[in-house]
Amino acid sequence: MRTYYLMVLLWGCMLHAIPMMLSQKRTNKHLHSEMITGLSENEGKTLHRTKRGWMWNQFFLLEEYTGPDTQYVGKLHTDQDKGDGNLKYILTGDGAGSLFIIDENTGDIHAAKKLDREQKSLYVLRAKAIDRKTGRQVEPESEFIIKIHDINDNEPKFTKDLYTASIPEMSGVGTSVIQVTATDADDANYGNSAKIVYSILQGQPYFSVDPETGIIKTALPDMSRENREQYQVVIQAKDMGGQMGGLSGTTTVNITLTDVNDNPPRFPHSTYLFSSPESAPPGTPLGRIKANDPDMGENAETEYSISSGDGSDMFDIITDKDTQEGIITVKKQLDFENKMLYTLRVEATNTHPDPRFLQLGPFKDTALVKISVEDIDEPPVFSRTSYLIEVDEDVKEGSIIGQVVAQDPDITNNAIKYSVDRHTDLDRIFNIYSGNGSLFISKPLDREETPWHNITVIATEINNPKQSSQIPVFIRILDINDHAPEFAKYYETFVCENAKAGQLIQTVSAVDKDEPARGHQFFFELVPEFAVHPNFSIVDNKDNTAGIMTRRNGYSRSKMSTYLLPIIIFDNDYPIQSSTGTLTIRVCACDSRGNMQSCSAEALLLPAGLSTGALIAILLCILILLVLVVLFAALKRQRKKEPLIISKDDVRDNIVTYNDEGGGEEDTQAFDIGTLRNPEAREESKMRRDVIPDTIFQIRRTAPIWENIDIQDFIHRRLKENDLDPSAPPYDSLATYAYEGNDSIANSLSSLESLTTDGNQDYDYLSDWGPRFKKLADMYGGEESDRD
C-alpha cells in the first residue's frame, strides 16, 4: 500500500511558529478508506482506494514584501516522487499562476508579486500531483489556505475633509459640539495598527476632543458671539494607540456660535429733538430713533412705545420691522397757538426675551423725545365741519336763509371774505354777503323741481388770498302746498247698457306733487253744477280713492254713447288746493256677466246674433276667396298669351355681332335703326327717329276710359298705339303700361306733355273750377296781363 504525504513549508512560520500552530483552521482528519469496485473505461480493471493519513494547515504570509527575491511560500512533496521527474505538481485556486507560482518538478511555491492585505486578506489554493506518463493523479487534490499577515501601512482617514458645526453662545463647559470619525484600513484584530486616538492640534483653549470617541466639546464658559463668532478647530487621528511611529490623519472643523438674546437694546442718546409744522396732517412722520441691540435675528427685534409725556395724545410711534427703528408720527392736528413744545418718554423693549438671561437686567431702555411745533400761516377755519339750512320754498328773493362763520386761527387774525363756489350753484340761486357770510336767495325756489341744494362756500384771507378753505352747505327746501291734486292716471271708464242702479263702474285715485308732513288726504265730489247727477254719483272712500256709481237702470248707446263726469279733488293742507278732472264714461254692450263686448255706435248695425269673433272669421274667409280667384284668373291668362315672335324669318330673332363703334347720335350712316322696330309698324312715310322732325307733333292724348274695361283689352290697345307711333322707342325697349283709372274732368295739369307754346294754351277755365284751383288760375290766368 502506497502512502501520499503533503508537506508545505513556509519560511515565515519559523518566526511565528506558535501562532501558526494555534490558528490551525482544520484539524487532523483520518479518512477510512472504502473499497470502490468498478471497471475503468480504458482498462476494465478493478480499482482499489487505500486508506492513508492526511493533514493541512492555515499559513501566514507578510504583505507588502519588498525583498530582492520572490517570497517563498512552501513545498509540495509525495513519497511517490523518486526524483526522476515522473511526477508533475499542479497548483490551482486564488491567484494560482499569477500571484503564486509552483515549480512543477520540485513542488516549490513562491509569491510572484507584492501582496496587499487591504485588497485581499485570504487565498484558498488546491494542490495535486500527476503522473506524467499516465496522466493520472497520484492522489486527489488537497486544499490549503494562505492568510496575509497585516503590517501598519495605512494612516487613519476621516469621513469628511471638512466638518461644519454650530453651538449657541454662552454654552457651558463640556457642551457637545460635534463628533468626528476616522477609520484605518489596517487589521484591527492584529496588533495596534488600527487603534486610533484623537487629539486637538488647533482650537485650544476654547474646545477639546475626547481621545477615544472623537466628540468635540466646549472648554471655556460663556463664549460670546458678539466677541467672536467663528472658530476653526484641527483634529488629529493617530493609529498605534497614539504611540511613537504611528501613522496619523487630520481634519478641520468650522464651528459657529449662534446668537441668543443675551443683550438688551440700548439708545445711543438719552435725548432726541424733533420739530413739526402745525399744519402737518395726522400720520406725518417726524423722525426716527433706534435702540442698538448687538444680537441678531428675532433676538434683536425691538418694540417701541410712548410710556409717558404731555404729548402722548398728540403723537404716536410705530416700529419699522425692517430697520428696527421707531418712527414718531403726528397723531392729532397740532396748533402752534395752543402749545408749542411737547415732551415724550419713549421705551424700547425686546419682543423675544430669553428667560435664561433675565438675571442680566431688564431687556428695555428709555429715551426722552422733545418735539417743537412751528407756526405757519393757516387758512381760515369754519366753526363747523358742514352746515345744514332749511328754507321754505315760497321764501322771497333776497331773504337771508342762514350764515356761515370762519376765522383765521393765526395770531394775526386776518380779515376774511366769503364767496359761493359757482361750480356748485350754476343757476346762481344763492348768494352770500362777503363780509359776514350770510346766505340769501337770488331766485325763486321750487321743492318739486329740486328738493335739495348742495353748495360750497369759500372763506379767503383778505391779506393772503392763497389761504382759503371750503365748507359744504346743504340746503333743504321745505314743502309748501302749492300744487293741486289730480287723477293718478287716465281712466278708460265704461258702463254697460244693462247696468243696474248703485253699481260700481270705476275706482279713481289722486296724486299730489307736494309732500305734507302729515301725509296726503284727498277728498272727491262732483262739481256744484252736477251735485245731483241724474246718471252717476261719486262715493268718497276716505282712503284717497273714490268710487263712481250708477244711479239708474240701463243705458242706451243710441241715445247717449258717452258721458262726461267732472270731479273736484281737494287736499287737506294749507292753503287748500283743488283741481277738476273730467271722467269720460262710454256706454258699451256687455254680456250677462258684465264683460264689455263693444262700445262703438257702428256695432249697432251688425246682426245681433253674431259676435265679434264670428265677424272676423267671415271677413277672413271672404278675403281668402278673393285672393284665390285673382290667382286663378292670372294663371289662366298666362296660358293663353301668344308669343311675341311668330315668324322664324323675323330679323329680330337674329343676333348680329359687330365690333365697330359708331359715331354717336350724329352718325346716321352706320345702320338703319328702323330695323329694330316692329315690321308691321314700319312705313315709308314714317319720320326718322334719328333726326329732329321739322314739325312739332301734337300731344298724343289717350281716349279716356270712363268705364271699367277689361285689362287685357286695355293693354292690347296701348300696345297697338305704341307700335303705330313713330315717336315710340325701338321695338326691343321695355314699355310699361299702367292702368291709372278714369280721367279727371280737369284733364292733365302736368306740363310735361305740353310741347306747344304758352300762346296756344288757354287757362281761363281754371277760374271756373272753384277755390281749390284759385292759385293756379292766378298763376296762369294772369300771364297775359303780365306780358302786356
Side-chain angles (χ1 to χ4, degrees), residues 719-756:
L719 179 61
K720 184 176 181 181
E721 291 175 357
N722 280 274
D723 289 341
L724 299 176
D725 187 3
S727 62
Y731 187 79
D732 58 350
S733 299
L734 176 64
T736 302
Y737 310 113
Y739 179 68
E740 300 179 356
N742 296 333
D743 289 347
S744 172
I745 58 176
N747 293 327
S748 176
L749 299 180
S750 175
S751 61
L752 298 177
E753 298 180 356
S754 301
L755 299 180
T756 61

Side-chain angles (χ1 to χ4, degrees), residues 125-188:
L125 298 172
R126 292 175 295 277
K128 58 184 177 180
I130 299 176
D131 191 336
R132 292 179 182 271
K133 296 179 179 181
T134 62
R136 294 185 304 164
Q137 293 185 151
V138 177
E139 288 292 341
E141 66 180 7
S142 62
E143 182 179 287
F144 63 94
I145 296 173
I146 299 176
K147 187 173 183 182
I148 308 302
H149 186 70
D150 182 47
I151 63 174
N152 189 16
D153 58 342
N154 292 280
E155 72 277 2
K157 293 184 178 181
F158 286 93
T159 56
K160 294 181 180 180
D161 295 333
L162 179 66
Y163 289 85
T164 302
S166 62
I167 185 174
E169 63 173 332
M170 307 300 290
S171 297
V173 177
T175 302
S176 178
V177 179
I178 191 175
Q179 183 178 14
V180 295
T181 303
T183 58
D184 196 322
D186 293 327
D187 190 0

Side-chain angles (χ1 to χ4, degrees), residues 469-489:
S469 58
Q470 299 178 350
I471 195 71
V473 179
F474 306 104
I475 302 174
R476 180 183 180 185
I477 310 303
L478 301 179
D479 185 41
I480 297 298
N481 192 23
D482 57 348
H483 290 83
E486 56 187 13
F487 281 130
K489 63 179 182 179

Side-chain angles (χ1 to χ4, degrees), residues 275-282 284 286 314-315 330-342 371-379 381 408-412 461 467:
S275 62
S276 172
E278 61 176 336
S279 61
T284 302
L286 302 181
M314 305 300 296
F315 301 94
V330 178
K331 187 176 182 181
K332 294 182 179 180
Q333 188 66 48
L334 302 176
D335 188 1
F336 173 81
E337 290 73 23
N338 185 25
K339 192 175 180 61
M340 296 181 290
L341 182 64
Y342 294 91
I371 302 174
S372 60
V373 181
E374 299 175 352
D375 185 27
I376 63 170
D377 190 6
E378 299 176 273
V381 177
D408 185 8
D410 297 323
I411 298 177
T412 56
E461 292 184 9
Q467 295 298 333

Side-chain angles (χ1 to χ4, degrees), residues 426-589:
L426 298 176
D427 296 332
R428 296 183 175 270
I429 300 175
F430 303 95
N431 213 329
I432 191 171
Y433 291 108
S434 62
N436 58 9
S438 297
L439 288 165
F440 62 91
I441 300 296
S442 300
K443 292 183 180 180
L445 301 176
D446 186 0
R447 188 205 64 82
E448 286 71 31
E449 181 180 353
T450 308
W452 283 88
H453 294 272
N454 302 327
I455 65 174
T456 299
V457 175
I458 303 173
T460 307
E461 292 184 9
I462 296 178
N463 296 334
N464 187 7
K466 294 182 179 180
Q467 295 298 333
S468 64
S469 58
Q470 299 178 350
I471 195 71
V473 179
F474 306 104
I475 302 174
R476 180 183 180 185
I477 310 303
L478 301 179
D479 185 41
I480 297 298
N481 192 23
D482 57 348
H483 290 83
E486 56 187 13
F487 281 130
K489 63 179 182 179
Y490 174 76
Y491 293 97
E492 294 183 356
T493 308
F494 71 93
V495 60
C496 295
E497 289 183 309
N498 57 357
K500 304 297 182 181
Q503 182 176 340
L504 176 66
I505 61 173
Q506 183 68 60
T507 299
V508 296
S509 61
V511 293
D512 194 338
K513 294 180 180 180
D514 297 321
E515 293 183 0
R518 295 175 296 176
H520 292 290
Q521 182 65 43
F522 303 123
F523 304 96
F524 302 86
E525 63 181 37
L526 297 177
V527 296
E529 293 81 359
F530 298 95
V532 182
H533 199 280
N535 297 308
F536 303 98
S537 63
I538 186 168
V539 178
D540 195 335
N541 297 326
K542 307 300 181 181
D543 60 351
N544 295 338
T545 63
I548 309 301
M549 313 293 293
T550 59
R551 296 196 65 181
R552 64 186 178 87
N553 295 327
Y555 295 84
S556 176
R557 282 183 293 171
S558 60
K559 295 180 179 180
M560 181 68 71
S561 61
T562 303
Y563 292 91
L564 300 178
L565 186 64
I567 300 174
I568 302 178
I569 308 173
F570 302 89
D571 60 18
N572 67 334
D573 206 354
Y574 180 83
I576 296 176
Q577 300 288 340
S578 65
S579 67
T580 301
T582 302
L583 191 66
T584 302
I585 305 175
R586 294 185 300 166
V587 180
C588 301

